Amino acid sequence: MLEEIIKYDKQLFLFLNNLGSLTWDGFWMFVTNKLNWIPLYIGLLLLSYKNLGLKKTLVLLVFIALLITTTDQLANFFKYGVQRLRPCHDSDLDGLVRLVKSSCGGKFGYFSAHASNHFAVALFFTILFRKKYKYIGFFLLFWAFLVAYSRVYIGVHFPLDILTGTLIGLILSWLFVKLYIFAIEKFLI
């Protein structure tokens, strides 16, 4: 059963990865680079400050830092625990992977920290501001999807790596935003 899932995952990866073209490579390399999203992070910080004030925003920063640390370290734990090779290191796929960037990254890739981190941040702010900003969830979840898909496009993650990272990011985000709301109501209101 697991072998079948992995086989289909590799086939889906090859299909999606090979849809790429030189025309789009620059766009997807931009999307996958987390430093290019600093203006978005600053915008979310300013939005938080505007709506929550200084104290609640400072507490929010602590929770976001803990959330990203948790998703990131959990991804590292799984990468070395599961030891599933990245597509670009998988000998079954030699010559078939369209690797867009010059380096592949670490040897193991299950699960994607990019997907986990970005979906965690997207859902956190969606839950927090969805009543005040109607389309924030659509925008942030679409952004997280683009970042997650970029990892398949550039050749460093299988779709199952992305799916698992997404689910873990969403679950942890829901938990952390509930803890944040509890902390704010208990200690700052």
Side-chain angles (χ1 to χ4, degrees):
M1 174 78 171
L2 184 58
E3 292 84 21
E4 280 294 305
I5 292 171
I6 289 173
K7 182 180 111 178
Y8 289 127
D9 191 33
K10 287 182 180 185
Q11 289 173 352
L12 180 59
F13 166 79
L14 288 173
F15 172 75
L16 294 172
N17 176 255
N18 284 290
L19 289 175
S21 70
L22 287 173
T23 306
W24 287 97
D25 288 355
F27 170 77
W28 290 107
M29 285 301 294
F30 177 87
V31 168
T32 206
N33 186 344
K34 60 187 170 228
L35 296 178
N36 292 330
W37 296 107
I38 289 174
L40 175 65
Y41 306 141
I42 292 170
L44 290 171
L45 180 63
L46 292 173
L47 187 71
S48 300
Y49 176 72
K50 176 185 171 196
N51 287 281
L52 303 172
L54 182 60
K55 284 182 184 178
K56 291 179 184 175
T57 299
L58 291 174
V59 174
L60 179 135
L61 284 175
V62 170
F63 274 84
I64 289 290
L66 289 171
L67 172 60
I68 295 205
T69 300
T70 303
T71 56
D72 206 55
Q73 292 308 306
L74 197 56
N76 286 333
F77 175 78
F78 271 81
K79 283 175 185 170
Y80 294 101
V82 173
Q83 295 188 352
R84 182 176 188 202
L85 295 173
R86 289 181 183 266
C88 42
H89 290 303
D90 189 330
S91 60
D92 292 345
L93 303 179
D94 277 347
L96 302 174
V97 176
R98 190 174 175 281
L99 186 60
V100 177
K101 57 190 242 173
S102 58
S103 70
C104 181
K107 188 175 182 180
F108 306 117
Y110 184 80
F111 61 87
S112 169
H114 268 73
S116 188
N117 293 341
H118 287 85
F119 271 99
V121 169
L123 185 63
F124 191 97
F125 284 98
T126 296
I127 292 171
L128 211 54
F129 294 124
R130 70 178 176 238
K131 291 179 182 166
K132 190 154 185 137
Y133 301 99
K134 186 176 177 180
Y135 297 108
I136 194 166
F138 174 78
F139 172 74
L140 291 176
L141 292 169
F142 181 70
W143 158 70
F145 171 80
L146 284 177
V147 172
Y149 177 75
S150 74
R151 308 305 287 167
V152 173
Y153 183 95
I154 67 170
V156 298
H157 278 294
F158 289 106
L160 194 55
D161 303 344
I162 301 301
L163 181 61
T164 304
T166 297
L167 292 174
I168 288 173
L170 293 174
I171 290 166
L172 288 172
S173 181
W174 179 84
L175 175 66
F176 272 78
V177 80
K178 294 298 180 189
L179 290 171
Y180 169 75
I181 291 168
F182 173 78
I184 292 300
E185 290 174 352
K186 185 83 170 164
F187 302 108
L188 289 180
I189 289 182

